[in-house]
Amino acid sequence: MLPTISEALKELEIAGTKNPDPWTKHSENTGLAARNIAEKLPGMDVEKAYILGLLHDIGRRVGIVNIPRHIYEGYLYCIKNGWEEAARICMTHSYPLFLKEFDFEPQSMEEKQIKAFLSHCEWDDYDLLIQLCDSLATDYGFCILEKRFVDVARRYGIGKNTVERWNAKFAIKENFEARMGCSIYDVLPDIRSTTLLCPPAWNPPAKS
């Protein structure tokens, strides 16, 4: 079960009043990217793709939180509302390497829950689509993967699996493009101009 598009947009609007940062515009653009790519992929539900993109970061509604926390908070919120498919995307969208992301024993409750959830998942096209679109969308539009990777690295640093994660995103891109018969960039509005924009790297404000 999923909310309607109008309900998802309203949820994002409300969440933005609770945590008014650029993540809501990023989420809107993730939804648009997912919709536009899904339109070119036979068999995909375009409306579902759009809604999943809109809600993938909904856990950020609780405030400035780290990656595991916003993932798990989004999962809990979607489950509470009966949106099982969106809850799944909240859990899977940040882990293109699947369980290899957890080649350690998690210490936090959130990471333990995420690892347990992922251990029972097999990626489908919607998981892969939102993982990809999360790296195509900024708050000011769309950009090529390379620019988004650098933007995120400037904010959060480089981890031991960073380059492998980038390669996984490129593999998703290439798979979808082969099925679409065109570049993913062909369906993202104004990407040529927005890719060339260079706003300062946004960092979450320090917690008080």
Side-chain angles (χ1 to χ4, degrees), residues 144-207:
I144 63 173
L145 289 178
E146 291 91 338
K147 179 174 180 178
R148 178 71 170 153
F149 292 158
V150 171
D151 172 58
V152 173
R154 289 178 68 195
R155 287 186 280 133
Y156 298 110
I158 300 287
K160 67 177 181 177
N161 292 327
T162 297
V163 174
E164 192 172 356
R165 297 177 94 249
W166 292 349
N167 288 334
K169 297 285 184 80
F170 278 116
I172 298 169
K173 171 183 177 290
E174 291 158 8
N175 175 274
F176 283 158
E177 287 177 332
R179 293 159 58 187
M180 294 165 67
C182 67
S183 169
I184 58 170
Y185 300 137
D186 290 341
V187 301
L188 301 179
D190 300 319
I191 189 169
R192 288 171 177 80
S193 58
T194 52
T195 287
L196 295 176
L197 295 177
C198 295
W202 179 80
N203 286 300
K207 294 181 182 178

Side-chain angles (χ1 to χ4, degrees), residues 22-41:
W23 73 272
T24 54
K25 291 302 296 182
H26 157 73
S27 296
E28 289 178 27
N29 287 329
T30 300
L32 291 173
R35 181 196 68 188
N36 289 5
I37 293 172
E39 285 177 343
K40 294 284 189 177
L41 291 169

Side-chain angles (χ1 to χ4, degrees), residues 21-22 27 36-38 42 48 51 53 61 85 98 114 117 119 124 127 129 137 147 170 177-178 182 191 200 203:
D21 284 314
S27 296
N36 289 5
I37 293 172
K48 175 179 174 179
I51 293 166
R61 69 192 300 279
E85 292 171 295
F98 194 47
I114 295 166
F117 183 91
S119 70
D124 63 21
D127 298 308
L129 179 64
K147 179 174 180 178
F170 278 116
E177 287 177 332
C182 67
I191 189 169
N203 286 300

Side-chain angles (χ1 to χ4, degrees), residues 8 11 17 30-31 52 77 79 94 100 106 121 135 153-154 167 175:
E11 286 288 341
T17 66
T30 300
L52 294 177
Y77 186 72
I79 286 294
S94 287
K100 188 172 182 179
C121 283
S135 290
R154 289 178 68 195
N167 288 334
N175 175 274

